[in-house]
Amino acid sequence: MPEVFKGKIVPGGGARNPLSVSSLDRRMFVTGAAAASLGTSFGARADPPLGSFRSGVAATEREATRSTGRYRDELVKDLSQLTDLSYKSQGAKWWNFNTFITPIEQFFIRNTYATPRPLLDPRVDPKHWQLNIHGNGIERPLTLTYDDLLGMPSRSIVATMECAGNGRSLFWAQQGESQVKGNGWGLGAVGQAEWQFVPMSHILGLVGLKKTAKWALMWSGVDSKIPGQPSDTGRPLPVSELLQRGDDIGLAFKMNGLDLPLDHGGPVRVIVPGWTGAASIKWLTEIKIADHNFWAPLNSFDHIFQGPTYKAPKAEPGDEFRFTTADQILGPMVTWLKPKSLLTLPIVVTEPHAMPHNYPLKLGEKPRVKAGKRSMLGYAWAPQHGVARVDYRIDGGDWQVARVQGPNMRRYTWVRFHFEWDAKPGPHVIETRTTDLGAQKQPETEIAFNSGGYEFWGVPKFHVDVMG
Ligand SMILES: Nc1nc2c(c(=O)[nH]1)N[C@H]1C(S)=C(S)[C@@H](COP(=O)(O)O)O[C@H]1N2
Ligand SMILES: [Mo]
């Protein structure tokens, strides 16, 4: 089964063809293929209105994958609603977002390696899963089974999960930073879920945290290049963070009411709301709490800020190294994420290597919107303090206030916003800006370079061509 279906669309199909005209029409933007095939958005047509129309993939791919699914050997869930960045990175199609909670099929996956499977590795089988908590920072080492965990007091939190690399494409598209390396997520490395978890405050009470405890290493050690080979996945968390937010940080076993899916770290992952996704270690098997720091790939050379304005931290005597060395500590690790916003429109992709083969636009192509009164939908989030307001502006005009739709649960969560736009034919640029309750505002100025392209939180520019 080819991953991109190049066949024809039959408008208004029945049960076997779930992509009806009306469902397509609800999309805010159309690509060449959709317009050309359906003839709805651009009026009756025979020929594509412009020479640039192509055999696009957005509509055809949706139709094909609704019925067949899209799978990769290295991942578990149906990937048909995600962009195919690489086997290990599947980005959300944020231009299709419209719910407060992101359904699991629409939730991005960011793995260093393939998702481990219980048949090959019993450590991710709920029947065999164990969590070993130890180290000189606690009074009583503890080993937990999945049933032990499920028997503990748990709570839920609604929180976004975002990779620090989300928006990296804007370092290229808006700042021309060709030195930035990494996945071209666009704006699809974010989603919001309801996570059910056992709070770390409860766990720390059981093991008896010592006053001398400084760092907690959250270690998976399961996912690796070759299944069963040594795994370098895990990340330390300062104990101070656990003390301040021990009720909010925890060991998650459900996502949106379902058993935590394998691709998202099932059976049990860490959840650190508000911090970069890298802190939320999937397939957790070990927590080591100690009076010293730990260094691992995810806090020494990956998910760290490396660039002229950043200073690398120094290891201290007695620190513990796993799969890294003192001279591989290249910059401070990403922690709290900044206020951001997006519109439900695909962005222009400028880097050939950052182009998922199933992206609905060609390299350099802009989305097209039909002229007339449009209700523009966006998302805004500000993990640390919560969203205070969202503004937008068209073609560099005055900033205007967007309408924030409830619920606004503030810290850790996103909101949807919208505004009405009378779209006049021609090229336009729409910008969106989140201000948070801590008075942080998405900057219009350039974001400082870092070679990994983390945390692009500048005002995003959405280019569109409005068709008369
Ligand atoms: N064990 C393990 N945990 C991990 C990762 C990983 O590769 N292995 N990736 C991290 C990163 S960088 C991110 S952004 C989030 C992504 O979570 P998701 O795939 O559930 O969206 O998981 C984090 N936890
Ligand atoms: Mo990430």
Side-chain angles (χ1 to χ4, degrees), residues 15-36:
R16 297 209 49 211
N17 181 9
L19 189 86
S20 67
V21 173
S22 60
S23 75
L24 232 200
D25 220 16
R26 267 189 269 113
R27 296 162 66 95
M28 175 61 75
F29 76 98
V30 287
T31 55

Side-chain angles (χ1 to χ4, degrees), residues 404-425:
V404 168
Q405 256 127 264
N408 183 354
M409 298 170 73
R410 318 225 181 236
R411 199 152 79 127
Y412 306 145
T413 60
W414 69 16
V415 294
R416 285 163 293 178
F417 66 86
H418 79 264
F419 56 87
E420 308 308 318
W421 180 37
D422 190 5
K424 297 278 191 315

Side-chain angles (χ1 to χ4, degrees), residues 350-363:
T350 55
E351 296 286 299
H353 77 268
M355 187 78 200
H357 72 78
N358 61 349
Y359 199 64
L361 303 172
K362 284 190 294 197
L363 199 67

